[in-house]
């Protein structure tokens, strides 16, 4: 049975880092690259972390019935939309998404095909990572850091997480090899 592995977690919980290491370790996994209307950050490459699209392209995908789920965020820099397009479940897949995105994937492909992996780390570590990442931007936006940090507290509350009874957890405050060992154990489960 082919599966979709959804990495979810608060901002700066280590999703991008673990995602890259998993893909190195498991080259048979096919990444699902989500789309966004937000501007590309320095160092990002089209088609790796995201497909960067216009609002018009998003409307075209919606009109074609290709959008599985979408999220809109009213940021300090304007409205940003993130979304996932339909894909064939012809092999195991890996993506970074939100809890709402994971739910939409379950609705689309069936809950038996979707594995939700919650990456978490203590708030102090996460906030320090976030500030460090933002400080490397050409125009740091610390108000957006604060907005997202607080929004994550609600979006990933224990009540929200409890809606996924088969949720798998990986503490990304641990050493990378320990995180990868936890991933390996989950990946081998049927």
């Amino acid at each position: 049975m082919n599966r979709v592995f959804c990495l979810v977690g608060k901002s700066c919980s280590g999703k991008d880092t673990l995602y890259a290491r998993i893909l190195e370790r498991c080259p048979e996994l096919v990444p699902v690259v989500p789309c966004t209307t937000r501007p590309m950050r320095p160092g990002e490459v089209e088609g790796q972390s995201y497909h960067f699209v216009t609002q018009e392209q998003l409307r075209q995908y919606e009109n074609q019935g290709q959008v599985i789920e979408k999220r809109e965020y009213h940021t300090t820099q304007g409205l940003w939309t993130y979304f996932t397009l339909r894909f064939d479940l012809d092999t195991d897949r890996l993506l970074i998404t939100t809890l709402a995105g994971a739910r939409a994937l379950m609705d689309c492909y069936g809950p038996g095909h979707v594995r939700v992996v919650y990456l978490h780390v203590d708030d102090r570590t996460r906030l320090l990572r976030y500030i460090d990442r933002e400080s490397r931007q050409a125009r740091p936006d610390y108000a957006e850091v604060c907005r997202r940090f607080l929004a994550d507290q609600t979006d990933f509350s224990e009540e929200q997480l409890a809606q996924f009874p088969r949720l798998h957890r990986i503490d990304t405050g641990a050493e990378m090899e320990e995180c990868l060992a936890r991933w390996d154990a989950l990946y081998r489960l049927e």
Side-chain angles (χ1 to χ4, degrees):
M1 168 175 61
N2 294 325
R3 302 162 294 176
V4 181
F5 292 92
C6 300
L7 300 182
V8 301
K10 297 175 181 176
S11 300
C12 289
S13 60
K15 296 180 300 289
D16 291 330
T17 301
L18 190 59
Y19 175 84
R21 293 295 302 273
I22 289 169
L23 289 175
E24 287 172 9
R25 194 176 191 104
C26 306
E28 70 279 7
L29 276 171
V30 175
V32 176
V33 180
C35 302
T36 184
T37 61
R38 78 158 167 75
M40 191 182 300
R41 292 180 184 138
E44 288 184 319
V45 176
E46 163 61 32
Q48 283 186 352
S49 297
Y50 294 100
H51 291 293
F52 296 91
V53 302
T54 64
Q55 286 289 343
E56 177 56 34
Q57 288 170 303
L58 168 57
R59 281 190 290 280
Q60 289 174 359
Y61 287 132
E62 286 179 310
N63 291 338
Q64 296 166 355
Q66 293 299 308
V67 176
I68 295 174
E69 60 85 30
K70 78 174 186 177
R71 298 145 344 259
E72 295 182 327
Y73 298 101
H74 296 277
T75 74
T76 60
Q77 298 177 35
L79 179 67
W80 291 351
T81 304
Y82 294 80
F83 60 99
T84 306
L85 296 174
R86 290 188 179 279
F87 53 87
D88 292 329
L89 194 51
D90 51 358
T91 187
D92 283 346
R93 304 281 183 148
L94 179 69
L95 79 151
I96 297 172
T97 189
T98 63
L99 292 174
R103 175 65 60 206
L105 288 161
M106 288 178 167
D107 292 344
C108 184
Y109 297 104
H113 290 281
V114 179
R115 305 289 186 276
V116 183
V117 184
Y118 175 54
L119 307 183
H120 61 94
V121 67
D122 67 90
D123 285 343
R124 179 182 183 279
T125 299
R126 195 168 64 80
L127 185 56
L128 290 172
R129 287 177 182 174
Y130 207 168
I131 290 168
D132 180 60
R133 180 176 83 182
E134 192 65 23
S135 69
R136 293 190 306 263
Q137 302 300 313
R139 295 173 54 176
D141 186 351
Y142 297 106
E144 180 61 15
V145 168
C146 293
R147 185 201 67 77
R148 284 184 63 186
F149 187 86
L150 294 173
D152 281 342
Q153 300 301 90
T154 302
D155 294 346
F156 291 94
S157 68
E158 284 304 317
E159 294 79 15
Q160 293 295 324
L161 295 171
Q163 295 179 26
F164 297 85
R166 294 178 48 195
L167 184 77
H168 304 275
R169 295 174 185 248
I170 296 176
D171 179 355
T172 55
E175 294 295 322
M176 180 56 68
E177 285 308 312
E178 185 178 331
C179 294
L180 290 169
R182 295 284 313 264
W183 161 259
D184 288 343
L186 165 63
Y187 187 50
R188 286 191 302 267
L189 285 175
E190 280 300 322

